[in-house]
Amino acid sequence: MCSPKLTHPRKSSRKRIAVLEGLVSNENVGSAFRAAAALGVDAVLVTPTCADPLYRRSVRVSMGTVFQVPWTRLENWPGDAQLIKDAGYVLAGMTLGGGDHHA
């Protein structure tokens, strides 16, 4: 279920969130949601450059977990990274290759 957009930071009881940045393959988005559900991730944030989690192929590959794990789309990435930090989260990133690194 897509939650309302992120507006201002507030402390949360949630422990782990995943940010999907630049995943343009619907299959990869679905797979990421399925992995998030399996790993107990509390929420998923999707950047503007990410494929739509509600696209039919994403939903199918996710095996429906896009409807289980709360998620929302960030509108201003990497600017919204500060909102995440202000809410008390530590940002850590993983990539398979080189590229831009956001602080």
Side-chain angles (χ1 to χ4, degrees), residues 43-97:
V44 175
L45 304 178
V46 179
T47 65
T49 59
C50 195
D52 184 5
L54 296 178
Y55 186 76
R56 183 180 59 145
R57 184 70 176 150
S58 298
V59 172
R60 186 177 200 189
V61 171
S62 80
M63 297 175 64
T65 57
V66 297
F67 302 117
Q68 262 184 314
V69 179
W71 67 276
T72 192
R73 185 172 292 277
L74 299 171
E75 294 181 9
N76 180 25
W77 187 259
D80 287 332
Q82 190 58 47
L83 288 174
I84 297 168
K85 291 178 185 176
D86 291 345
Y89 291 97
V90 175
L91 287 177
M94 296 183 290
T95 182
L96 292 175

